[in-house]
Every structure is written in C-alpha cells, then in structure tokens.
Amino acid sequence: MLDEILPYALVPGHAGVFVCGCFERWVSIQLQATRGHNLAWALIETKRLVAGQRAAIIGGGFAGLSAAAALGRKGVQVTLFERAPALLATQRDNRTRWIHPHIHEWPRPGSRNPRAGLPLLDWHAGLAADMAAEVLNAFDLETARSKIAVRTGAGTLTLGDGPSVSGERFDAVVLALGVGVEKSFGALPLASYWTDADIGTVRAGPARHHLVTGIGEGGVIDTLYLRLAGFSHAELADRLVEVDGMAAIEQELLTIERELEGKSDVDANAHLHARHAALAVPAAVDALLQGRLRSDTRVTLNGPEAFALAPRADLFNRFILSRLLRLDGLEYVAGAVEDVSAEGAGWQVTLTGGRVLHVDRVNVRHGTVPSLAAAFPEIWAAYAPVRRALPHLTPRPAWPEGYFT
C-alpha cells in the first residue's frame, strides 16, 4: 500500500514536505479523509515521523483534519494552519448539499451505508453543515486529547528548508490545501459549489433556464439538484434498490465501469453513451424520476465531449443523468464556451461553432485553479510534473484495524 501513497505525496527536492489530496481526480469528502489517514499511516510506518516530533499541516479541510488527528494519535506534535477564519469553512454553513460517504462506490456492497466508518472524525450522511458539525465536534476532542495546536486565519505562509513554515521549524510539513478555487468565466459571478445556497429551492413562476457547463462531478450533481425536487443521494439510492429488475442493471453498470479501464476520456465518453443507451432499465426507474421533476427549471448541460456521460463523474450520478436526459427539461449541448456576456437579467453564452444560448443563470463547473499552485508555486513546479505521470487512484484504507486507537 505504501506505493499507492508515498509517490503521490513526495515533492522532489523538498525533503520533509508532503502533498495530500491537492492533485486528485476524485475528491469526495470521504476520499479526502481517507487520504489524510493514509498519509499519516505511511509517515509513521516509514519512520518519516515518530512520536515526539513536530508536524505542520497546512489546510483545514477534510484531508488536513484527518492527517492532523491521525498523527496526533501516534504521538506527533501537530500544528494545523488554516488561512480561513474557521475550519471546514466551505461546508460548515451549507444546508443545501447532501453528502453521502460511500455513494462513489455505488452499487457495490456497502455503498448505501450512511456511516463513513473512519477510525477518527467519523461522520454520517446528511446535509453538509450537519456533517461538518459532526466532524468538527470530533476534531475538538482530538485537539484536546493530542494537544493539536490550531491556527486559523493564518494568512500567507512561506515554506523554508528544514522544513519550516514562516520561519518555524518542523520535522515534516503536509500540504493539504484541497484541489483549489473554482473557475468562473469573464464577468460571470462565481457560483461556487458550496455557496450556491438556492440551487435546490423550488420557485414559483415560469421555469428558469439554467446552463450548467462541465460534465464532471460538480456539473452533473448541479444538474441533478436543478432537475429533481428534494434531491438526496442517500434517499434516491434507497428507492432504486426497491425497483424490480434494478439489481441486474446494477451489475451491468459495474461491467460498463470495468470496460472503461485504459480508455481515453474521448473513447470512454462514446462508450458510456452507447452502453447506457442500450440498457434495458425498468420503466419504474424513469417513473420514479418523472414524479420528482421540477417544473420551475429547465437545464442545458454543456461539455467539451460529444456526449453527456463522462468517466470523471461517479457511476451513480452518471446513471441518474442518463435517465434524466430521456425526460423533459434537460438537453445536452456539446462544445466549448467561447463567451459569456450579460443580457438583461440573464446571460448570453456563445459556444464553439457560433451557437448562442440565452439563459437565466450559468453554473461553471470547469474544475479548479489549484490552491497549491497559488500558495506555493515552487512546490507546485516540483510536484506537478511527477504527479501527472502517476495514474489517478481511488484511495483504499491502508491502516490496520485499531491502528489509531
């Protein structure tokens, strides 16, 4: 397991500096927490850190909190730095997004289990704010137990040899800054995934036309919220398992997932489109979704590929999207966004080929500007070329049972 962890963390030319969860394709809260636990295990097992030594964790998200708690349990003196005024700043006030720890594994056994099952900072499926509160309460106990020093509002930090953080010497520094700040387009205001508080709100009046551009996790999940009233991964997954004939579809979906191995994004996109189109999905699935369609929205989903289904979205979200595309109120338009300009109370969007869309709202889900690159460009320059050569992996728990007790 070490070969699935340390090569992804080491920074050439920067001894004692490690990266955690800053360059990943799949970044659910559960996966980031697993990466934090895994890195702590690897640093202890390889004696890069031992009890009594000092570690700095930069980043107060789920990877950073998990690494801090796990190292603290092994006797390491941890100092956690967070630029924002509070930990888990992007999730702690969000009462719109529903979070589920294992939905990325659907429909494999255990994927509907509402508990994360982590040894430290465990949490339960629910609204982001409730989940964050559960994790923060547990982290407060860990800071008291392991005497973790927490410095929020840390501002700009510098890394030095040794390694050191703003002149303070440590035995190891873990950079857990997350995947970055979301992108916008031109003068378009940023509608952040975590701060878009009204995406699930059903409104009176005529349907508003939304453009969601991006067919990775963020774009697909936004589309599900915009088209399905009261969308929740956990609730919908529980309803699907009750549909006669769905078990066979789930097995076929897993077969399709295995067939993607080794395919380029373009080939995978075409393969997913063809295979999903051929699925004999029970009519009850579409009837379930039809009964939940919002009448106050219609959505145009946009991406660079020819078809709407991409391997960078989770299997569950991809499957639901594939069914919604057969129902009213959702269309897919391929092409790159060339221009976005204000048009009255809405927006005019020009795509490659000259197609023009007139919409009420635009959600841009084109990935992020890496936080690591912005905060520590020298580290990014050394790390990114090596990391790009490594395959993207879904992290598996590396620690043995009872390791962090």
Side-chain angles (χ1 to χ4, degrees):
M1 291 293 286
L2 287 171
D3 62 349
E4 295 183 5
I5 301 170
L6 286 177
Y8 291 76
L10 296 170
V11 181
H14 294 269
V17 177
F18 305 92
V19 174
C20 184
C22 298
F23 197 112
E24 308 301 334
R25 189 170 202 171
W26 298 288
V27 288
S28 75
I29 286 166
Q30 176 74 348
L31 296 181
Q32 289 292 76
T34 300
R35 290 183 179 107
H37 281 81
N38 275 352
L39 181 57
W41 170 82
L43 295 178
I44 294 297
E45 287 300 293
T46 58
K47 294 184 169 48
R48 285 173 166 83
L49 279 172
V50 299
Q53 288 188 315
R54 300 189 70 212
I57 311 292
I58 300 179
F62 292 93
L65 265 61
S66 298
L71 288 172
R73 281 291 184 108
K74 304 306 287 186
V76 176
Q77 298 177 32
V78 177
T79 300
L80 176 70
F81 296 88
E82 167 56 43
R83 181 178 59 181
L87 303 176
L88 302 187
T90 54
Q91 291 85 22
R92 63 189 302 151
D93 296 323
N94 187 289
R95 304 203 65 82
T96 300
R97 302 285 185 177
W98 284 89
I99 310 298
H100 193 287
H102 304 294
I103 201 66
H104 60 277
E105 291 290 336
W106 184 88
R108 299 170 183 87
S111 61
R112 294 190 300 117
N113 184 351
R115 291 233 51 104
L118 295 164
L120 301 171
L121 313 186
D122 199 18
W123 55 278
H124 188 277
L127 287 171
D130 296 333
M131 174 274 301
E134 188 175 3
V135 170
L136 289 169
N137 287 338
F139 188 69
D140 285 344
L141 296 176
E142 293 301 319
T143 60
R145 182 187 190 281
S146 301
K147 296 181 174 55
I148 298 170
V150 178
R151 302 182 190 175
T152 54
T156 301
L157 301 171
T158 58
L159 292 184
D161 294 335
S164 64
V165 176
S166 296
E168 187 175 353
R169 177 75 168 81
F170 292 91
D171 297 290
V173 174
V174 174
L175 302 176
L177 284 74
V179 293
V181 179
E182 292 168 277
K183 300 175 183 177
S184 188
F185 200 100
L188 187 70
L190 174 65
S192 169
Y193 182 89
W194 291 108
T195 59
D196 191 1
D198 62 353
I199 191 170
T201 302
V202 177
R203 298 176 179 274
R208 295 201 304 172
H209 186 188
H210 296 252
L211 172 68
V212 179
T213 176
I215 54 175
E217 273 295 87
V220 173
I221 293 175
D222 275 6
T223 301
L224 303 190
Y225 273 100
L226 286 168
R227 290 305 299 133
L228 295 173
F231 173 70
S232 159
H233 286 101
E235 189 273 337
L236 187 52
D238 285 345
R239 298 291 75 77
L240 286 177
V241 79
E242 298 170 354
V243 174
D244 288 340
M246 191 60 204
I249 297 299
E250 291 177 354
Q251 292 308 306
E252 187 66 15
L253 288 169
L254 290 174
T255 298
I256 295 171
E257 195 75 359
R258 290 190 291 270
E259 292 169 355
L260 297 180
E261 187 173 352
K263 292 185 184 296
S264 68
D265 282 353
V266 171
D267 289 343
N269 176 248
H271 187 77
L272 285 167
H273 175 75
R275 293 287 272 117
H276 277 73
L279 286 174
V281 176
V285 171
D286 290 349
L288 174 67
L289 298 177
Q290 181 74 50
R292 298 172 179 222
L293 290 180
R294 291 174 59 173
S295 61
D296 66 320
T297 63
R298 62 187 182 94
V299 176
T300 297
L301 178 62
N302 160 253
E305 286 96 339
F307 307 106
L309 306 183
R312 53 190 179 274
D314 281 347
L315 197 161
F316 179 87
N317 299 321
R318 237 189 282 139
F319 173 68
I320 301 302
L321 176 65
S322 75
R323 306 317 300 172
L324 288 177
L325 285 163
R326 295 170 173 264
L327 305 177
D328 293 334
L330 174 63
E331 66 167 343
Y332 179 71
V333 176
V337 175
E338 290 191 337
D339 182 67
V340 179
S341 58
E343 184 180 55
W347 300 91
Q348 176 178 291
V349 181
T350 304
L351 304 179
T352 51
R355 178 166 181 174
V356 176
L357 303 174
H358 304 277
V359 299
D360 297 300
R361 184 166 178 177
V362 181
N363 283 21
V364 178
R365 299 291 179 250
H366 289 178
T368 60
V369 178
S371 292
L372 183 60
F376 303 107
E378 182 181 356
I379 298 295
W380 179 260
Y383 176 76
V386 177
R387 178 60 184 85
R388 286 192 184 100
L390 297 172
H392 290 285
L393 297 178
T394 301
R396 301 172 293 158
W399 61 90
E401 186 175 354
Y403 188 78
F404 293 114
T405 56

